[in-house]
Amino acid sequence: MTRYDLALIGFGGVNRALAQLIAGRGDELAAELGFALRVVAISDLRAGSLVRADGIDLAPLLAGEPAFAGLPGGSADPRTEQVIRGVPCDIVAEATFTNPADGEPALSHVRWALEAGKHVCTTNKGPVALHGRALRRLAAEHGVSFECEGSVLSGTPVLRTARRLLAGLRISGVEGIMNGTSNYILGRLEDGVDFPEAVKEAQALGYAEADPTADVEGFDVQLKVMILANEVLGAGLRRDDVSVRGIARLTPADMRDAAARGLRWKLVGSAALREDGTVDARVAPVALPVEHPLASVSGPANAVSFHTDLLGAVTVSGPGAGRVETAYALLSDIIAIHQRHAVLEESLHG
Ligand code: HSE
């Protein structure tokens, strides 16, 4: 059976959840999918690095905060570049953090891996939003795949739906609710809870970031709109091309007024092709008619609607965050890599 050796870059919630899936469900997945997964390297800023060419025993690492120093093949030093470039493996699963201004350090991680001829799956928005086209070109030059389903709506299949399931349709626009924190807060404003209290709740429930600015001011959605515009509509947008307004000025009274008029306030990220082929992209609160497909998306749920010529609006709804949900995005990327390369192998050696 085909086996893929993985390097996990970052060993926080997401890659730990992926390790948990591999440790707990590896045999079931191999039987269903036709390939096995083995982790041969992990690099993490806090835990250090761990390299085992014969495969890492994951289960002991999943109880408590791991520290790799002292383990065979382990070091307190993350040795990130050395692990990514130097350790033989097939796929690099990148789940560190990203700076929305330049996409680093995730961007370098992705570049190093592609340059070393390794497939990459990442959950990071920065590299995809800011450099998606260049990274795809780099992957093609090296004959490998660059997959990033988790960069929009975690494991809910948005990018792959557009690329695969909507193939053959003309997609003229995309709009969505792409931030669970702000959607949760809007729901609580509708319940009469005031804004600061609703933010605190979203933080306590683990939806909002420790600093919720990017959630409530729309910057998190801005990156997702860039990704959708660039990956699905073929635009080449930069951050300045996507206007942003968040939800911080909305109040319970605004919610009541909207409800009285059959409307619901939502933070909508959208990108639409104009007649001349350019793309209009924005993030802003919009009072949607209650019958709009996005109006009924409540709580931390997310949804994206594609506007197509033959089907009209096609909407995908599901979780937009969460460690297990995002780990599933990485697994779905690995499945896509397998499917693409299994087909290539077959056509070469067939
Ligand atoms: N904090 C984000 C949200 C998830 O609330 O949807 C990561 O983009």
Side-chain angles (χ1 to χ4, degrees):
M1 179 184 289
T2 306
R3 186 190 65 219
Y4 296 110
D5 283 347
L6 307 187
L8 308 185
I9 307 305
F11 202 52
V14 173
N15 262 341
R16 285 168 65 129
L18 178 64
Q20 181 88 55
L21 272 175
I22 295 169
R25 282 207 209 176
D27 292 344
E28 194 186 319
L29 291 171
E32 183 190 336
L33 302 169
F35 62 85
L37 295 174
R38 183 170 79 163
V39 176
V40 295
I42 305 175
S43 167
D44 180 78
L45 282 185
R46 272 197 229 157
S49 55
L50 184 59
V51 178
R52 293 291 304 259
D54 57 346
I56 295 169
D57 182 10
L58 296 169
L61 305 181
L62 296 170
E65 277 298 310
F68 300 146
L71 300 178
S75 162
D77 181 348
R79 299 183 301 162
T80 319
E81 183 166 0
Q82 216 176 321
V83 168
I84 295 175
R85 289 193 193 269
V87 174
C89 71
D90 305 297
I91 301 174
V92 170
E94 206 283 338
T96 60
F97 54 95
T98 192
N99 163 351
D102 63 7
E104 294 291 4
L107 174 62
S108 292
H109 300 162
V110 173
R111 280 201 181 123
W112 295 336
L114 296 174
E115 284 164 5
K118 294 163 181 174
H119 305 296
V120 172
C121 46
T122 184
T123 57
N124 259 309
K125 292 181 279 288
V128 190
L130 304 172
H131 300 282
R133 196 174 287 180
L135 292 172
R136 220 166 277 296
R137 212 167 30 235
L138 187 62
E141 278 164 24
H142 291 271
V144 290
S145 291
F146 172 59
E147 298 290 338
C148 52
E149 184 60 60
S151 62
V152 181
L153 264 63
S154 69
T156 303
V158 171
L159 296 175
R160 211 156 276 126
T161 294
R163 282 206 200 102
R164 296 216 177 149
L165 304 181
L166 304 183
L169 295 169
R170 290 186 188 145
I171 301 177
S172 57
V174 188
E175 63 179 344
I177 292 174
M178 295 185 265
N179 184 272
T181 301
S182 49
N183 206 47
Y184 173 83
I185 292 171
L186 291 174
R188 295 300 283 148
L189 296 180
E190 286 175 341
D191 297 336
V193 174
D194 69 15
F195 196 89
E197 185 55 33
V199 173
K200 273 194 217 139
E201 286 180 14
Q203 282 174 312
L205 287 163
Y207 305 143
E209 309 298 324
D211 173 1
T213 312
D215 290 312
V216 300
E217 296 294 354
F219 300 118
D220 174 63
V221 179
Q222 183 187 37
L223 290 178
K224 293 169 185 166
V225 167
M226 285 170 70
I227 294 171
L228 287 170
N230 295 347
E231 300 283 316
V232 178
L233 301 179
L237 300 188
R238 291 192 274 222
R239 282 185 90 190
D240 288 350
D241 298 322
V242 185
S243 64
V244 187
R245 201 147 44 84
I247 60 165
R249 275 164 223 89
L250 289 172
T251 63
D254 294 323
M255 302 292 136
R256 281 194 300 276
D257 291 348
R261 291 181 291 136
L263 303 171
R264 273 191 105 182
W265 282 102
K266 293 289 173 191
L267 182 63
V268 177
S270 62
L273 271 176
R274 297 189 188 98
E275 291 269 309
D276 64 0
T278 59
V279 170
D280 174 54
R282 60 186 66 205
V283 181
V286 180
L288 296 173
V290 287
E291 60 277 10
H292 189 283
L294 298 178
S296 55
V297 177
S298 295
N302 284 200
V304 169
S305 288
F306 297 99
H307 297 278
T308 75
D309 58 342
L310 304 183
L311 297 179
V314 176
T315 303
V316 182
S317 176
R323 43 194 289 284
V324 173
E325 294 83 346
T326 311
Y328 174 71
L330 291 174
L331 178 61
S332 76
D333 284 345
I334 293 168
I335 295 168
I337 291 168
H338 170 72
Q339 288 169 342
R340 173 165 176 234
H341 290 271
V343 169
L344 282 177
E345 282 294 308
E346 199 165 318
S347 66
L348 284 175
H349 306 295

